[in-house]
Amino acid sequence: MNISRRDLFHLAAIAGFSLTAEDAFAKLNNLNPEKLFEFKPVGNITLLHICDLHAHLKPLYWREPSNLISAKELVGTPGFLCGQTFMDYYKIKPKSMRAYFDTYITFEELAKKYGKMGGVAYIKTLINQIKAERGSDKVLFMDAGDTWQGTAVGLFTKAKAIVEAQNALGVDIMVGHWEYTYGKDRVLELVNKHLKAEFISQNVADDIWGDLIFKPYTIRDVGGTKVAVIGNSFPYTPIANPKEFTEGWTFGIQIERLQKFVKEVRNKGADIVVLLSHDGFTVDQAVAKMVNGIDVILSGHTHDPAPSPVVVNNTIIVISGSHGKYLGRLDLEVKNKKITNFAFKLYPVASNFIKPDKEVENLVNKLYEPYEKELSQVIGKTQTTLYKRDTFYSTFDRVIMEAIKEEADCEIVFNSGYRWGTTLLSGDDITVDDVYSMTAITYPDVYKFEMTGSQMKNILEDIADNVFNSNPLYQQGGDMSRALGLEYEIRINGEPGKRLSNIKVNGKDLDPNRNYVVAAWGGNMHRAGKNIKKLRPVYDITIDYIKRVKVVNPPQRSNVKIVDYPCGCPDNTGGC
Amino acid sequence: MDRRTFLKTAAVTTAGISLSGVVYGGFAAELIDNPSPKKSYTDALKEITQDKSVKDSDKVKLVAPEIAENGAVVPITVEVELPVEQVKAIHVLTEKNHNARTMSIYFTPANGKAYLSTRVRLAETMNVVAVAELADGSFIKAQKLVKVTVGGCG
């Protein structure tokens, strides 16, 4: 597509004007030779799906991972595809808008061509259009969670701003994960008083009595079809995030209970059974093998943009990316309590091609208004792409760790391998809002502590097993913790506890008996340390650092060498 | 298990631990006499089965988390899907604990079904093994790997 950025804006404006017309999608497709908005409706109902919005109400750049390393049994399977392997698997043309949305390849070039992604006002336009075409009674809109956390506006309003956006979008049903890090009282307050959607979960229970905290499922009449939706919140919430937020509540995958509820909703006359899940894409593929009778899983957590569903044990599994980049649409033909036909599409929320919904745009501006001045403040510039996603290393995390190292005066810095954040292009200004998009959590404090070499190795081995276990049920769905001041080699398929070798601290072999001075945030690592000191919140430290250095240019080279795969990424942003 | 079931069972068994059988008394006495008995999984299994073979069976339903939220109190349930008359006992073993013989619960027909629900302590990542001792003197089992982790997202 040979049009300049300016042309695109011009065309987008035209697209906007025509979007109220009946054939709005057709007109969008005329502007877009890839026909990314084309969809032939199938059957009698439509399930709309978003996941892992991470509180991004406005469009952003989001670069997909440059590698997604896994145990050998999982290499090349959906959930562990990225870059060229992703393009080959899903037959995506190089340099197309799809390639831009789904991979890191030539990201900067395509970002300039196609513009920012996501934004709730743009998602709303697509939803309105689909509902107008289909009849809103035939549409059920579900949100698989990780919606409330990830930006300043989410954090500052204790998620209230995001709930208002969900209400405006018309979310019908949701589940959660990072939602719980606002604390269980706040979750219940938002769910009971503000959220219009139903919050369901069959796997959140009182840890003494086993009583469920939320409704486990809901049965909705969708255009005459009885759709049962069972919820699964993130099974490892109290392990991956601080326990105190959910004290007294227990999670887990709860396979046996899930099977019981599938039977129960069938007995109540459900035509189809949907699992709305924050388990993660690979875990849900395993769940589908273990539980019978689920027709559809709308997954989340692992942020995969999967253009086509995976079908396992007669269960259709879809996942719709992250950060508001996509709207998933699954059309179903249901006859005699069976799905007889289906069609799926991930609509790319290409903000330059979609006219934003005025009402929702106004709402977003209103929600930002009290913080706009602070958040839009430019604090520096980047000379290279600042990204988050990679198995071991990321340039934006590197900047954050440099900031912490200066502040803490320590030997090693650790930074969690979360999969949310933002992306900045080389030459971009860095704003306060951008820093929050990488760090906006309810437990932002940086800790400085001491820990022996062997303790540190054990913790890294433990985290590596959560990322690289060959059984998806034992994975937590994040990437490996990032480290500054530490280099190591890793055998991905090594025995648990024995994957890491040749560990060096600032160039010298790790001494298992020596105490090291370490700083970390966002994890549980400090709890194992001694002489623990609480420093300032990570966003304050990072903002002050960028203000001081003015320009950042983190190296593209990872500090981790993979021994058992011929993969040198992310040298020069990738290559797996 | 919901509150009502708990209160019902607790009334007929020991409070604080909910199960439909009774705790093997000798085992508790042994703990008092010898506070820190080291017993390997192999030794514990031998003590229970007297070297008889133990077959894996889907009649033994062991429910435990994949990853423990707190290794000190890992909730498990075991149910043997056979008439209670055919089940003499359920033995729970924790493969890598200092003492791998965690509990033995003996059943009578008055228990209604061969079911127990409790919490076990796991010192590290290990298999939890539920061995059912049947009335005919044979043994069947199920096991599940429970990971004990320091956590941290990714």
Side-chain angles (χ1 to χ4, degrees), chain A residues 207 209-211 236 238-240 243 250-253 256 417-418 462-463 465-466 469 473-474 476 478-479 481 524, chain B residues 1-3 6-7 62-70 75 119 125 144-154:
Chain A
D207 71 356
W209 303 105
D211 298 353
Y236 302 130
I239 301 163
K243 271 189 184 61
T250 179
F251 291 66
I253 304 176
E256 295 78 9
Y418 304 141
D462 192 68
I463 297 169
D465 196 56
N466 290 337
N469 201 298
L473 297 180
Y474 294 95
Q476 288 182 25
D479 290 313
S481 289
N524 291 322
Chain B
M1 136 170 304
D2 67 21
R3 200 174 317 230
F6 173 82
L7 292 173
L62 166 65
V63 178
E66 285 73 20
I67 306 179
E69 289 174 4
N70 178 355
R119 284 158 172 71
T125 297
K144 182 160 182 181
L145 179 69
V146 178
K147 205 156 110 169
V148 178
T149 165
V150 292
C153 201

Side-chain angles (χ1 to χ4, degrees), chain A residues 413-459:
Chain A
V413 183
F414 288 103
N415 189 102
S416 282
Y418 304 141
R419 290 184 167 189
W420 50 265
T422 189
T423 301
L424 298 181
L425 307 180
S426 48
D428 273 0
D429 287 337
I430 306 170
T431 65
V432 169
D433 205 13
D434 295 328
V435 172
Y436 274 100
S437 292
M438 291 293 294
T439 55
I441 64 174
T442 56
Y443 47 108
D445 298 315
V446 174
Y447 290 91
K448 179 180 175 178
F449 50 97
E450 285 173 35
M451 167 173 275
T452 66
S454 69
Q455 271 181 312
M456 203 154 47
K457 176 173 187 292
N458 287 342
I459 289 175

Side-chain angles (χ1 to χ4, degrees), chain A residues 31-49:
Chain A
L31 302 175
N32 167 9
E34 296 167 36
K35 300 197 188 318
L36 287 171
F37 300 96
E38 190 176 75
F39 189 92
K40 199 162 164 259
V42 162
N44 38 353
I45 63 170
T46 293
L47 306 181
L48 294 180
H49 176 225

Side-chain angles (χ1 to χ4, degrees), chain A residues 23 48 80 142 243 247 270 292 334 342 516 539 542 572:
Chain A
D23 57 348
L48 294 180
F80 295 99
M142 286 170 275
K243 271 189 184 61
E247 197 67 61
N292 294 318
V334 182
F342 70 90
Y516 289 91
Y539 31 76
T542 307
N572 301 317

Side-chain angles (χ1 to χ4, degrees), chain B residues 62-82:
Chain B
L62 166 65
V63 178
E66 285 73 20
I67 306 179
E69 289 174 4
N70 178 355
V73 280
V74 180
I76 65 160
T77 67
V78 186
E79 181 167 2
V80 183
E81 292 182 331
L82 289 170

Side-chain angles (χ1 to χ4, degrees), chain A residues 123-289:
Chain A
I123 296 174
K124 178 66 172 173
T125 299
L126 294 177
I127 290 170
N128 285 349
Q129 191 60 39
I130 292 164
K131 283 188 172 173
E133 264 183 25
R134 195 71 166 155
S136 50
D137 63 317
K138 296 191 181 70
V139 177
L140 192 62
F141 179 21
M142 286 170 275
D143 177 340
D146 269 5
T147 307
W148 295 356
Q149 172 279 338
T151 61
V153 74
L155 184 68
F156 295 171
T157 62
K158 297 192 180 73
K160 176 82 184 322
I162 317 305
V163 168
E164 286 188 41
Q166 283 178 299
N167 291 346
L169 282 176
V171 174
D172 290 307
I173 305 163
M174 78 173 289
V175 294
H177 167 203
W178 276 89
E179 283 71 12
Y180 297 105
T181 63
Y182 288 101
K184 58 184 193 181
D185 293 342
R186 180 63 174 168
V187 171
L188 292 173
E189 184 188 1
L190 289 169
V191 165
N192 295 331
K193 289 192 191 148
H194 302 286
L195 181 72
K196 287 185 188 158
E198 264 190 292
F199 194 106
I200 58 169
S201 284
Q202 69 90 21
N203 65 333
V204 184
D206 179 284
D207 71 356
I208 295 174
W209 303 105
D211 298 353
L212 296 185
I213 307 297
F214 304 100
K215 266 175 76 170
Y217 61 80
T218 178
I219 301 177
R220 299 290 187 100
D221 183 319
V222 184
T225 302
K226 278 177 96 175
V227 179
V229 183
I230 305 174
N232 243 29
S233 281
F234 180 52
Y236 302 130
T237 300
I239 301 163
N241 306 95
K243 271 189 184 61
E244 51 265 32
F245 294 124
T246 52
E247 197 67 61
W249 290 1
T250 179
F251 291 66
I253 304 176
Q254 307 297 352
I255 293 285
E256 295 78 9
R257 204 189 290 155
L258 176 59
Q259 182 69 73
K260 188 192 94 179
F261 283 127
V262 172
K263 283 186 191 144
E264 188 172 314
V265 295
R266 288 276 181 202
N267 289 339
K268 285 189 175 175
D271 291 312
I272 61 162
V273 180
V274 175
L275 175 65
L276 179 63
S277 154
H278 202 86
D279 291 341
F281 198 27
T282 34
V283 171
D284 277 330
Q285 293 173 51
V287 167
K289 281 184 201 153

Side-chain angles (χ1 to χ4, degrees), chain A residues 498-559:
Chain A
K498 291 178 183 166
R499 288 186 176 92
L500 274 68
S501 60
N502 207 7
I503 308 172
K504 292 197 186 307
V505 179
N506 297 315
K508 287 188 189 143
D509 286 342
L510 180 88
D511 178 349
N513 301 315
R514 163 149 123 61
N515 269 322
Y516 289 91
V517 182
V518 180
W521 71 279
N524 291 322
M525 192 178 259
H526 62 276
R527 289 169 205 236
K530 55 181 185 189
N531 293 332
I532 308 166
K533 282 194 197 81
K534 191 162 103 173
L535 308 183
R536 293 192 297 155
V538 60
Y539 31 76
D540 291 344
I541 292 174
T542 307
I543 289 166
D544 287 349
Y545 170 82
I546 296 173
K547 277 183 182 166
R548 201 158 58 240
V549 299
K550 294 186 182 70
V551 177
V552 300
N553 190 13
Q556 301 284 349
R557 206 187 140 268
S558 170
N559 55 325

Side-chain angles (χ1 to χ4, degrees), chain B residues 35-110:
Chain B
S36 183
K38 168 135 179 97
K39 200 173 282 172
S40 74
Y41 173 71
T42 322
D43 289 349
L45 191 64
K46 199 181 281 180
E47 188 176 272
I48 293 163
T49 63
Q50 307 294 327
D51 272 339
K52 280 190 196 155
S53 71
V54 188
K55 273 195 215 116
D56 284 323
S57 167
D58 60 8
K59 295 279 182 224
V60 183
K61 301 288 182 204
L62 166 65
V63 178
E66 285 73 20
I67 306 179
E69 289 174 4
N70 178 355
V73 280
V74 180
I76 65 160
T77 67
V78 186
E79 181 167 2
V80 183
E81 292 182 331
L82 289 170
V84 67
E85 292 78 13
Q86 294 178 29
V87 183
K88 188 176 167 202
I90 295 173
H91 308 273
V92 176
L93 291 89
T94 44
E95 196 187 25
K96 290 183 185 169
N97 271 0
H98 184 68
N99 181 345
R101 187 165 180 186
T102 299
M103 59 162 52
S104 294
I105 309 296
Y106 289 84
F107 293 87
T108 75

